[in-house]
Every structure is written in C-alpha cells, then in structure tokens.
Amino acid sequence: MILEVDKLDVSYGRVRAVREVSFQAEAGSLVAVIGANGAGKSSLMNAVAGLLKPKSGRVVFDGRDVTGWPAHRLVRAGLVLVPEGRAVLGTMTVAENLQLGGWNRRSSLKASIDELYSRFPVLGERRQLPASALSGGEQQLLAIARAMLATPRVILMDEPSMGLAPRAVDEVFRVIEEIRSTGTTVVLVEQNARRALRAADTGYVMEVGEVAHSGPAGELLHDQRIVHAYLGLE
Ligand SMILES: Nc1ncnc2c1ncn2[C@@H]1O[C@H](COP(=O)(O)OP(=O)(O)OP(=O)(O)O)[C@@H](O)[C@H]1O
Ligand SMILES: [Mg+2]
C-alpha cells in the first residue's frame, strides 16, 4: 500500500465533515471515491493532501506517518493534489502556471515542460496566454499537467471532470488513465460515478462523512444499492 488513511476525522467547528474514514491505495492502482454533494470528499482529499489538519486519525504515505504534514512537504515527498475547481492562476500564463508546478524540482524542469507541451499540444500552443483565456477543459489539463511536474507518486484529483463538456470529460479521463498507466497511483474523486468506477480498481462510496460501501470497483458497479443510489440507468 502506498497510501493508507486510517480513521481520519475532519471538522469545521462543530460540523464533522469526515468521520473515521479509512481507505487504502495500492501502488499503481486507481482508487475512485464517489458520493453525493456534501458527503465530505473534498474535506477528505484536502486533509490527506495537508491543506486541512485532521482532528484525529492517520495518513501513512509510503510507509511513513505523514499525518499533519503541510502540503508543501507532502508535495516534496510525492503526494500531490489537483484541487476541486482546478485553481489555475488566471492572470499568469500557461507557462508560468507550469513553472510553479515544478517548484520542488532541482533540475530538468524545462525539459519536462517541453515534454508536457508535446503530450498536450493545446497547452504548448497557448503557453504565452493567460490561463484565464483557456476553456474549462484546457484549464483542467493545465491543472493536471502542473501537478505532474511535481513528479507525484500519488496524485489526488478532486472532481476533474466537473463542469466540462462531454469531449473534455473524455480527454480528462484519457489523461487519468495515461497517468495511471505510467505507474502513478491515482485517487479520483468524481460525481461521474459510473465512469470513475469503470476506470478504477477499487471504489469507496461516501455518505455524510462516512464510508458507506467499498470494494473492487467492478463489484460496486453491479451492486444494486449503488446502482440505484449513484449510478442510475445508462
Ligand atoms: N470551510 C468550511 N467550513 C464549514 N463547513 C464546511 C467547509 N467546507 C465544507 N464544509 C462542510 O463539510 C461537509 C463536507 O463538504 P465537502 O466539500 O468536503 O463535501 P464534498 O463531498 O466534496 O461535496 P461536493 O460534491 O459538493 O464537492 C459539508 O457539510 C460542507 O457544508
Ligand atoms: Mg467536493
């Protein structure tokens, strides 16, 4: 297991957003986390990524207890979040956003950025434009590319397909599968539950702050309770 989250609790004052949530990710696997609005998915991701301090529980990354580490330290260690809503810096250019993603790198950042431009030509062509000039799908690619420049071993993605047109959703899922195929572990939070479970090895379903179901993604896809509540008819 490259990531083990054990009984994590996250609160905002008296609101207990995440209650004793545990999940594991095997190295190289894709783990999907699904659940309704307000279930606590983002709170969970933000706590794992060091943006929020959990009230209790543990996060073990690559055998080390990293509970309470700040985000920048986790990024250096190889645990990187692509936050909900993308968080690209709109007034900065595409190139500048990418350079920021590589802040933890000592060398070869330029070569890596050039490589990303050939992998995502749309970013290469627009490298001198402000990020705000990109479409939603292009901004999401930029956010993912920026996270990849930190050379993560585990990448957490919080609703990367949110608000995107169908073709951009396809592209985002293609990129996620590609990242996973290179051996990077992916934890994917998605509203697009069926699609996420189809791409995943393992799935977790959150309901009001807790894990209500979990298991091999293929089994969850056929679990009538989950089909009924989260997947619906195709
Ligand atoms: N900064 C905050 N202050 C107070 N309460 C918050 C804060 N952020 C989230 N919450 C509450 O915590 C709970 C979980 O929210 P969270 O954003 O983690 O859910 P989510 O599953 O990511 O939802 P969504 O699908 O809408 O993104 C909700 O009840 C929410 O209102
Ligand atoms: Mg969320």
Side-chain angles (χ1 to χ4, degrees):
M1 292 297 166
I2 192 161
L3 183 64
E4 292 175 86
V5 172
D6 187 34
K7 294 195 174 151
L8 210 67
D9 252 77
V10 180
S11 294
Y12 304 98
R14 289 166 65 185
V15 179
R16 270 184 88 194
V18 175
R19 307 168 190 207
E20 301 209 341
V21 167
S22 300
F23 75 89
Q24 291 89 39
E26 211 172 301
S29 71
L30 199 161
V31 174
V33 178
I34 64 172
N37 291 121
K41 307 178 298 294
S42 296
S43 303
L44 176 65
M45 291 303 115
N46 290 339
V48 172
L51 295 171
L52 284 176
K53 268 217 156 60
K55 209 163 168 197
S56 59
R58 270 190 345 144
V59 179
V60 177
F61 172 55
D62 198 20
R64 263 196 295 187
D65 188 338
V66 299
T67 317
W69 283 25
H72 64 88
R73 194 167 166 211
L74 287 168
V75 168
R76 270 208 199 95
L79 182 69
V80 178
L81 171 72
V82 182
E84 187 176 88
R86 324 192 222 294
V88 297
L89 298 164
T91 59
M92 295 177 78
T93 65
V94 168
E96 287 164 346
N97 270 276
L98 291 174
Q99 280 151 16
L100 281 176
W103 64 270
N104 63 327
R105 302 267 299 264
R106 285 169 206 91
S107 59
S108 69
L109 180 60
K110 191 184 172 300
S112 300
I113 292 180
D114 287 343
E115 196 184 307
L116 277 173
Y117 287 151
S118 53
R119 211 160 126 196
F120 304 117
V122 70
L123 298 181
E125 288 154 18
R126 289 161 178 71
R127 67 183 84 177
Q128 295 308 335
L129 290 181
S132 60
L134 303 185
S135 71
E138 291 161 357
Q139 288 188 23
Q140 186 62 58
L141 289 182
L142 175 58
I144 295 171
R146 186 179 59 184
M148 292 312 291
L149 283 167
T151 59
R153 297 179 60 210
V154 173
I155 186 165
L156 312 171
M157 297 197 200
D158 193 352
E159 306 220 21
S161 79
M162 186 169 51
L164 301 185
R167 259 202 318 168
V169 173
D170 289 346
E171 172 74 354
V172 163
F173 271 92
R174 194 186 61 70
V175 168
I176 291 168
E177 304 239 16
E178 195 181 296
I179 289 170
R180 182 271 179 78
S181 72
T182 63
T184 307
T185 308
V186 179
V187 179
L188 174 62
V189 170
E190 263 297 332
Q191 289 284 336
N192 206 328
R194 187 186 299 277
R195 193 118 184 214
L197 288 175
R198 281 198 175 133
D201 300 291
T202 316
Y204 291 84
V205 182
M206 285 186 73
E207 279 173 12
V208 283
E210 295 179 297
V211 172
H213 310 276
S214 65
E219 286 179 18
L220 296 180
L221 274 168
H222 295 105
D223 184 323
Q224 283 315 309
R225 294 166 301 178
I226 290 162
V227 171
H228 191 75
Y230 297 99
L231 305 176
L233 297 173
E234 257 188 291

